[in-house]
Amino acid sequence: MSCPICGKPTETKYRPFCSKRCADIDLAKWVSGSYAIPSTDPEDIEEAIEAAEKARQEETKH
């Protein structure tokens, strides 16, 4: 198995990664939103639209 970040062989201690560095890079991608699981739930879509509209209104105030 190879590390999903850099492709090097994995280390048992950090599996599925090769090092703490690659594990931290992966974690940072999750935290920053680079990885996302799309939702088809209508309530999620409505909330996203409302949030976008609110953000747009806040921008026009400034």
Side-chain angles (χ1 to χ4, degrees), residues 27-47:
L27 178 61
K29 287 182 178 184
W30 280 106
V31 171
S32 71
S34 294
Y35 294 147
I37 300 170
S39 172
T40 56
D41 184 345
E43 289 182 17
D44 290 341
I45 294 168
E46 289 175 15
E47 288 177 16

Side-chain angles (χ1 to χ4, degrees), residues 8-26:
K8 293 179 183 176
T10 61
E11 284 289 325
T12 304
K13 182 177 179 180
Y14 301 107
R15 197 170 189 128
F17 307 102
C18 67
S19 64
K20 182 171 179 354
R21 178 183 175 275
C22 284
D24 288 345
I25 290 171
D26 184 73

